[in-house]
Amino acid sequence: MKAFNSYKQLNAELKNRKGSLGLVPTMGSLHQGHLSLIEKAIKKNSNVIVSIFVNPTQFNKQKDFHNYPNNLKSDLNQLMDFNNVLVYLPDTNELYPKGIFANEYNFGKLDKTMEGKSRTNHFNGVATIVEKLFNIFKPDLAYFGEKDFQQLIIIKSLVNQIGYKVKIISCPTIRENDGLAMSSRNQLLTKEERKKAILLYASLIEAKRLMNSSSPSEIENSITKKFTNIEGVELQYFKILTDHSLSETKEINDKEKYRAFMACDIGKVRLIDNIALE
Ligand code: PAF
């Protein structure tokens, strides 16, 4: 592992190396989910860049940005044994030299629902930073987790719109033993909140079970009802949408693929999760 604060220095190092380049963009506080992306990237590429940068433009609330966990020492320790990994650790000036603002994109209806609806400008911020990283490093492959499924679809749309050659590799969600999707935000939960957080996965499994006998709106209503009056838990949305266009649907059509998506505030921590409904 070799760490760089400047992309010019990192690119100078890459000039001496041959073979394909994989990029794993992260906001740090690395966990097994990130490591699975990095391991996948290492298997496929001669060189792998892991970027660690908490991107200010994708947070719609300053408080959320400032509370976002930062564990650089532990991150670097976890990356220590990966020989061919180059870690990119920029500061805000390096990536936003002209000021901290997001570009505006048109993702059609992809960012008008779920996270895009509840977090104004969130996906403009994500796309801005991902575009910057693609421009700086020109990776052959870039790795994103399915836990942030809407983000994954929007990044694929960004790549199509801009015509980048990068191939987007989607990686399955990694879960704790009780099913909670791994997320850097999980460490912000108290012990009590952590217990309640298993409700997310349980609800997704319940939706999967109901899929054969109920319509999407019946499933959404039944799950939503279960969240009324749970102290400290506030369901933000539970939706069944088509897998790739994120469209609402009244009836299940055998030719389409669907996913259940949800966001939930547990105390002050916002968690999201989703599952394929096959
Ligand atoms: O998924 C994340 O951690 C972030 O949204 C990303 C893709 C690294 C952009 O800041």
Side-chain angles (χ1 to χ4, degrees):
M1 183 273 275
K2 233 174 165 181
F4 299 82
N5 297 118
S6 129
Y7 67 80
K8 284 186 184 148
Q9 282 168 10
L10 198 157
N11 275 337
E13 167 80 26
L14 272 177
K15 261 196 178 157
N16 304 321
R17 299 183 178 214
K18 287 199 176 107
S20 67
L21 176 63
L23 172 69
V24 184
T26 82
M27 297 208 295
S29 287
L30 302 181
H31 49 68
Q32 207 47 50
H34 295 113
L35 296 184
S36 75
L37 267 60
I38 297 168
E39 278 157 11
K40 210 167 177 176
I42 288 174
K43 273 195 194 137
K44 259 276 182 224
N45 301 277
S46 324
N47 305 291
V48 171
I49 297 176
V50 176
S51 63
I52 298 182
F53 178 65
V54 183
N55 172 36
T57 60
Q58 70 188 77
F59 289 84
N60 59 325
K61 291 182 188 154
Q62 277 302 302
K63 209 169 169 193
D64 195 22
F65 172 55
H66 290 297
N67 288 343
Y68 198 83
N70 182 329
N71 295 300
L72 189 55
K73 214 170 156 193
S74 144
D75 292 347
L76 293 176
N77 271 336
Q78 292 184 73
L79 297 174
M80 201 67 89
D81 292 336
F82 293 118
N83 279 336
N84 56 348
V85 164
L86 306 172
V87 186
Y88 178 48
L89 300 168
D91 67 12
T92 310
N93 272 339
E94 158 115 343
L95 287 175
Y96 288 100
K98 294 187 178 146
I100 303 174
F101 51 83
N103 303 331
E104 277 195 25
Y105 297 87
N106 182 355
F107 294 117
K109 62 179 190 211
L110 294 179
D111 65 346
K112 308 287 179 299
T113 178
M114 301 192 290
E115 294 308 286
K117 198 169 170 187
S118 356
R119 303 172 66 187
T120 322
N121 233 12
H122 170 65
F123 287 115
N124 281 333
V126 171
T128 300
I129 195 69
V130 170
E131 191 182 351
K132 282 177 194 273
L133 293 170
F134 287 172
N135 284 334
I136 289 170
F137 296 121
K138 305 191 174 37
D140 301 296
L141 295 102
Y143 296 76
F144 296 89
E146 285 180 4
K147 188 186 78 70
D148 297 298
F149 197 84
Q150 190 176 13
Q151 167 174 284
L152 176 68
I153 298 290
I154 284 176
I155 288 168
K156 284 185 178 170
S157 161
L158 173 78
V159 167
N160 280 339
Q161 283 182 39
I162 304 200
Y164 286 121
K165 295 222 166 68
V166 60
K167 188 169 175 200
I168 302 300
I169 309 293
S170 61
C171 305
T173 303
I174 305 294
R175 298 182 180 280
E176 304 282 359
N177 288 339
D178 63 3
L180 178 65
M182 290 203 185
S183 160
S184 306
R185 290 175 189 268
N186 293 353
Q187 60 185 272
L188 300 173
L189 298 166
T190 64
K191 251 187 178 173
E192 276 310 301
E193 289 167 351
R194 172 64 185 82
K195 282 185 200 152
K196 290 178 181 166
I198 61 168
L199 278 169
L200 277 94
Y201 187 58
S203 307
L204 294 172
I205 293 291
E206 171 78 350
K208 212 168 170 171
R209 192 182 66 78
L210 292 173
M211 199 57 182
N212 288 331
S213 55
S214 315
S215 71
S217 65
E218 282 166 347
I219 301 174
E220 287 167 1
N221 292 338
S222 146
I223 305 265
T224 304
K225 257 192 206 151
K226 294 196 172 156
F227 278 82
T228 41
N229 294 329
I230 306 179
E231 209 190 310
V233 177
E234 204 171 310
L235 181 68
Q236 297 299 323
Y237 57 77
F238 188 96
K239 279 180 185 293
I240 292 176
L241 302 177
T242 57
D243 201 290
H244 284 102
S245 57
L246 305 182
S247 306
E248 309 223 343
T249 178
K250 284 202 172 88
E251 274 170 26
I252 299 299
N253 166 352
D254 285 347
K255 286 182 193 134
E256 272 282 7
K257 283 188 175 168
Y258 300 92
R259 236 167 226 274
F261 296 88
M262 67 189 297
C264 195
D265 288 345
I266 313 262
K268 291 193 175 104
V269 186
R270 182 187 173 85
L271 298 178
I272 60 172
D273 201 353
N274 68 84
I275 202 167
L277 300 170
E278 271 126 29

